[in-house]
Amino acid sequence: MPRVISTWLRREPRLLAVEHRRFYHAYLWVYLMLMGLFAMWVPFFTLFNESRLAFVSGIMALVSVLGVMLHRAHQLTLGLALMMSALTLMAWLSVFCFGLSAGYEYYFFIVMAGIHLAPLAPRIRVVTTLMLFMAAVSALMVSPVLHEGGVLSAWVLQSANLFAVFLMMVTFLWRMLALTEHFERQYLKDASRDELTELLNRRQTLRHAEDWWDDRVPYAVLMLDADNFKRINDLHGHAVGDEVLRHLGRLLTATLRQGDLAGRVGGEEFLVLLPRIGRSEAISVAGRMRSLLTKSPPAFAGTPVPVTVSIGVAIRHEVDSLDELMQLADRRLYHAKRNGRDQVVAGGEHEMTGFSAADAPTSPPGKGGGARGKVYTGAKGDRESGESRKNKQSRKDSSPFSRTHFIG
């Protein structure tokens, strides 16, 4: 039973706006407490021979049920008006019948807190506050000054009401703070993560890269791109394409070490940051990614979907700025794409001088060296390609990793 109630409380109405989630959950608890309070007042007022108040409390308990149902049905403003009006009326009648020393005037503060913590327009807050003030003053003016005896003394009534108000206020504020922290963490996660792959999004990935650069952290950059991804979408549909991207996200998460970062920075493009790592280690990580993708291809409806990746590798010490580091990784990725895809490029773009032991080709690039599955490295870094300086500068300027594109 408690689990059913807890599930019912956590379940949100459909189409609940993000900015109303905290208000919805916090006020639902308050309304349930008020409903219990009205129900408890029925036998309490009967004990004091206040049959009229007992009758009104029963009516307000039923009204609070309606208020909770309206709140659950996403009629938040109407539910708030109904519940606050019911509590104001009960507080006014109780002050009028029991006097100032019984403590029923404290409930006006709950109404005031409920009004000012709700997402209402400023004009509505001002008007409702003035109306509440007039109701409280009129109750004090027409009520007797002291409670005239009965089963319980005045200080017991006052203490009980003070405790009830204190408990409701503490519970309300605790729920508001707890929900605020919960939703802030959720919003931060949503703002920093890619919804499809659950990796970091573009902005957060590139901010980490900038922070590491400013802190002089030595790191390597891997630029990955799924090969022929448009063909996968065209042949199998976008649902299969989405599954391929999700699979690549899971693959990156399983491959990286603690402290490494991976993010989705484009449609089918990913950026991996490897702190405190050299060229050979970065190439090894890139090779593991390709190997794992080959062994465990993505599948949709039980059918494997073959996919490969091209990877460009760049090391911080090769360049003098973050822009150049991103552009270098991007150029090497471009070179891997142009040379046949499904390969890792970690060195010169025109003259390659070495290969990994596992993927060494039978002939060097330029002589059939475009075979799939190769890892190209160069000890001297990038060499100038045969293209003109103007075309190369044009490609640099159009790079998606120019600082003007990702610095917020």
Side-chain angles (χ1 to χ4, degrees):
M1 188 64 179
R3 181 177 298 179
V4 174
I5 296 175
S6 178
T7 303
W8 183 81
L9 288 174
R10 288 197 303 266
R11 190 172 58 218
E12 298 177 353
R14 295 182 58 191
L15 304 179
L16 179 64
V18 174
E19 62 273 15
H20 290 160
R21 294 180 69 189
R22 183 183 65 167
F23 167 63
Y24 170 81
H25 288 284
Y27 277 70
L28 181 58
W29 278 84
V30 174
Y31 295 164
L32 293 174
M33 292 180 68
L34 287 178
M35 185 168 58
L37 181 67
F38 292 146
M40 289 175 56
W41 275 350
V42 174
F44 189 77
F45 289 142
T46 303
L47 183 65
F48 276 88
N49 296 322
E50 291 289 347
S51 57
R52 290 173 296 180
L53 281 181
F55 176 76
V56 175
S57 297
I59 296 299
M60 293 308 165
L62 297 177
V63 169
S64 63
V65 173
L66 177 60
V68 170
M69 299 308 296
L70 288 172
H71 191 74
R72 292 277 300 159
H74 202 189
Q75 300 295 325
L76 305 182
T77 304
L78 185 57
L80 175 67
L82 194 62
M83 296 299 294
M84 294 300 102
S85 298
L87 183 57
T88 301
L89 178 60
M90 284 304 304
W92 195 97
L93 292 174
S94 300
V95 171
F96 175 76
C97 294
F98 288 93
L100 302 181
S101 60
Y104 287 98
E105 61 273 13
Y106 300 146
Y107 292 98
F108 288 118
F109 292 102
I110 295 181
V111 179
M112 184 175 65
I115 292 172
H116 284 272
L117 293 177
L120 300 175
R123 187 189 315 177
I124 296 178
R125 291 182 182 178
V126 171
V127 173
T128 52
T129 301
L130 291 176
M131 294 174 61
L132 177 64
F133 177 75
M134 293 172 59
V137 170
S138 63
L140 298 178
M141 290 177 61
V142 301
S143 64
V145 178
L146 297 174
H147 174 57
E148 299 177 354
V151 179
L152 298 176
S153 60
W155 74 268
V156 174
L157 276 176
Q158 189 177 51
S159 300
N161 284 318
L162 181 60
F163 176 77
V165 171
F166 182 79
L167 181 63
M168 293 184 67
M169 289 292 291
V170 168
T171 303
F172 181 46
L173 294 177
W174 171 74
R175 287 297 301 167
M176 288 289 285
L177 291 175
L179 289 168
T180 298
E181 293 178 358
H182 170 75
F183 288 123
E184 281 182 352
R185 289 194 298 268
Q186 186 65 42
Y187 298 153
L188 181 61
K189 179 181 178 181
D190 293 342
S192 62
R193 294 282 173 178
D194 174 63
E195 183 178 4
L196 183 63
T197 63
E198 297 186 356
L199 298 175
L200 293 174
N201 60 19
R202 176 188 177 91
R203 179 182 295 274
Q204 289 298 317
T205 305
L206 298 179
R207 279 184 174 175
H208 280 292
E210 184 180 16
D211 291 341
W212 287 1
W213 185 274
D214 294 339
D215 294 339
R216 302 183 182 277
V217 176
Y219 65 95
V221 170
L222 307 184
M223 193 78 68
L224 291 85
D225 192 88
D227 297 326
N228 299 314
F229 186 74
K230 185 177 183 300
R231 184 184 302 171
I232 293 175
N233 278 333
D234 293 342
L235 291 178
H236 305 285
H238 289 279
V240 175
D242 289 346
E243 180 56 33
V244 168
L245 295 177
R246 280 192 289 266
H247 183 81
L248 288 174
R250 292 190 293 267
L251 180 146
L252 293 179
T253 302
T255 306
L256 300 182
R257 313 163 300 168
Q258 184 176 3
D260 297 342
L261 296 175
R264 182 185 176 200
V265 295
E268 65 274 12
E269 196 165 19
F270 299 84
L271 183 66
V272 179
L273 307 178
L274 306 173
R276 297 175 178 84
I277 198 171
R279 179 190 298 270
S280 59
E281 293 88 350
I283 293 173
S284 177
V285 172
R288 287 201 305 270
M289 292 176 183
R290 287 185 50 254
S291 176
L292 185 59
L293 183 60
T294 301
K295 295 177 181 177
S296 304
F300 188 81
T303 303
V305 182
V307 64
T308 60
V309 292
S310 299
I311 305 176
V313 181
I315 313 299
R316 173 182 173 137
H317 66 74
E318 297 181 278
V319 295
D320 297 324
S321 69
L322 179 60
D323 285 347
E324 293 176 355
L325 180 65
M326 295 299 172
Q327 292 168 6
L328 178 59
D330 195 35
R331 290 200 304 273
R332 289 173 176 173
L333 171 63
Y334 170 79
H335 182 75
K337 290 282 190 181
R338 187 178 58 183
N339 261 18
R341 301 180 177 87
D342 188 21
Q343 55 189 251
V344 178
V345 174
E349 298 172 7
H350 179 65
E351 180 180 351
M352 307 301 169
T353 60
F355 307 93
S356 70
D359 296 319
T362 56
S363 60
K367 298 179 180 181
R372 299 170 66 83
K374 298 182 178 63
V375 179
Y376 298 151
T377 63
K380 295 184 180 180
D382 278 11
R383 304 288 184 90
E384 292 292 336
S385 63
E387 65 188 57
S388 67
R389 183 186 301 272
K390 179 178 179 181
N391 290 339
K392 183 174 181 180
Q393 184 62 40
S394 175
R395 190 169 73 246
K396 287 183 179 180
D397 294 340
S398 63
S399 170
F401 298 96
S402 174
R403 181 180 299 273
T404 58
H405 287 282
F406 69 84
I407 297 299

